[in-house]
Amino acid sequence: MPGAGERAYAYAKACGIIGKSFVGKRAGNLSRAARLSELDRLVFPVSSRDLPEKELLSDLEGRLIKRAADSIIAVVDSFRKPPELFSLLIRSYEYADLKSALTAAAGGTAKPAFTGIGRFGTVRFSAWPDIPAMIRGTEFEFLLNKNGELDKENSGITLQTELDRRYYRALWKALRRLSARDRRASEFILSEEIALKNAVWALRLRTYYEMKADAIRSHLIDIAVPMKGRQVSLAADAFACLELPLDSRQAWKGWRRESFLNPGLGEWRADPRYFQNAAAQYLYRLARRSFRADPFSLDTVFCFIKIKQFEEDVLTSSAEGLGLGMTSRDVFAMLGVES
């Protein structure tokens, strides 16, 4: 486990980065941006780009993602031998990029943008569009058939959920290897994240794909965790909502995650996007509250990573909204973020 010196250095660096981030009170500064170019200058005052709005959107989104990844790597690099948990959290960018690469390859579309994560990366994105060459010898080799070619059966929703399942199971195992003190807050936050992700998936698959309950169960991340002396599945909340009618708010009364649902005003229908945004806000508040609770615990770095990734989501959503002609306040209202 990392020593006291490394922990203190990582905490000090994380505090410095958070102080300059667009979270908490500083998030309100984003409401000053009325155009993409203004958001660019606000976030990147020294290195903003002089590009037409249409070109600026994808360019800015890529730099926002890189900004978050670079900040996270800077803190994790404080450790000579980072805990596996932190390496995996950084590799969330690799998982996301691989999903984009597989989707682009299947659809024959242009090369997507890839976020460099340095020594933490395992996929050879430089080999694009040769997917087998990109993943051969990595944990993603399961995507290839016995002939070493991309297995056509691994596609669409099935592929997305399988990658998520493998990622979160690896993340949970890595977290449980830490000492009890080092994962006190992280364990609760991660368990909540997985449970809420399952609930979002259940709502999305029912709403957008009209998938039936039995089919949805196979797409969820069913991890058993100790809770009050017994093993509880992190998919339990999602399982419990699979048969509830999507057009009756009253029917959801008493569901454990009811508070994340959209308000029951007028003609109601469950809104997966609203639920996802409410869950993201909740997880962000948990991370913010726990960030400074125990500076010498590894919880600090875990919470820092979650805060930076939340900021990244808000910034990229702001960029997308401004690109569509929305105001920053409208974007904040949609995300449930106070400006």
Side-chain angles (χ1 to χ4, degrees), residues 142-162:
F142 76 91
L143 295 170
L144 305 179
N145 59 28
K146 61 182 180 181
N147 297 320
E149 300 170 342
L150 192 62
D151 192 338
K152 301 299 183 183
E153 292 184 8
N154 288 313
S155 61
I157 297 172
T158 300
L159 174 59
Q160 301 283 321
T161 55
E162 180 59 23

Side-chain angles (χ1 to χ4, degrees), residues 22-32 329 332 337-339:
F22 293 94
V23 293
K25 293 181 180 179
R26 290 196 82 240
N29 294 340
L30 296 174
S31 63
R32 302 202 308 259
R329 292 188 183 279
F332 279 18
V337 178
E338 294 182 3
S339 58

Side-chain angles (χ1 to χ4, degrees), residues 11 18 23-24 184-186 188-189 192 260 279-295 299-300 302-304 306-307 310:
Y11 177 66
I18 289 294
V23 293
R184 195 172 297 151
S186 308
F188 178 69
I189 295 171
E192 288 289 272
F260 297 98
Q281 277 289 320
Y282 165 70
L283 294 169
Y284 161 70
R285 289 194 296 270
L286 287 180
R288 283 273 294 179
R289 191 163 62 235
S290 301
F291 174 59
R292 300 178 191 274
D294 189 353
D299 275 334
T300 290
F302 176 92
C303 291
F304 165 77
K306 291 302 176 182
I307 292 168
F310 175 81

Side-chain angles (χ1 to χ4, degrees), residues 10-188:
Y11 177 66
K13 186 175 283 189
C15 286
I17 294 172
I18 289 294
K20 298 176 182 178
S21 299
F22 293 94
V23 293
K25 293 181 180 179
R26 290 196 82 240
N29 294 340
L30 296 174
S31 63
R32 302 202 308 259
R35 300 181 61 187
L36 269 180
S37 55
E38 293 175 6
L39 178 64
D40 190 11
R41 288 193 294 272
L42 184 63
V43 182
F44 300 102
V46 178
S47 59
S48 58
R49 305 281 174 83
D50 184 16
L51 293 171
E53 294 274 307
K54 287 184 178 180
E55 293 179 31
L56 182 58
L57 178 56
S58 60
D59 179 84
L60 178 56
E61 285 182 325
R63 283 184 287 129
L64 290 171
I65 294 169
K66 186 177 186 302
R67 173 181 176 271
D70 286 350
S71 295
I72 292 168
I73 290 170
V75 170
V76 174
D77 271 340
S78 301
F79 303 106
R80 284 174 305 223
K81 188 178 180 181
E84 183 187 9
L85 175 67
F86 300 155
S87 299
L88 281 168
L89 287 168
I90 291 172
R91 289 187 56 223
S92 65
Y93 292 97
E94 181 175 71
Y95 275 77
D97 285 349
L98 180 58
K99 288 180 184 178
S100 297
L102 291 165
T103 300
T109 56
K111 176 183 178 180
F114 302 130
T115 304
I117 56 174
R119 66 187 175 109
F120 299 98
T122 66
V123 176
R124 294 176 288 277
F125 289 106
S126 59
W128 166 270
D130 188 345
I131 301 293
M134 287 169 52
I135 63 176
R136 197 170 289 118
T138 73
E139 68 183 270
F140 303 109
E141 210 166 24
F142 76 91
L143 295 170
L144 305 179
N145 59 28
K146 61 182 180 181
N147 297 320
E149 300 170 342
L150 192 62
D151 192 338
K152 301 299 183 183
E153 292 184 8
N154 288 313
S155 61
I157 297 172
T158 300
L159 174 59
Q160 301 283 321
T161 55
E162 180 59 23
L163 285 171
D164 281 349
R165 186 183 296 111
R166 286 171 180 260
Y167 175 69
Y168 277 105
R169 282 178 177 168
L171 207 57
W172 185 259
K173 287 179 182 177
L175 181 139
R176 293 288 295 177
R177 293 190 190 104
L178 300 180
S179 68
R181 177 190 168 181
D182 276 330
R183 56 179 163 85
R184 195 172 297 151
S186 308
E187 186 167 345
F188 178 69

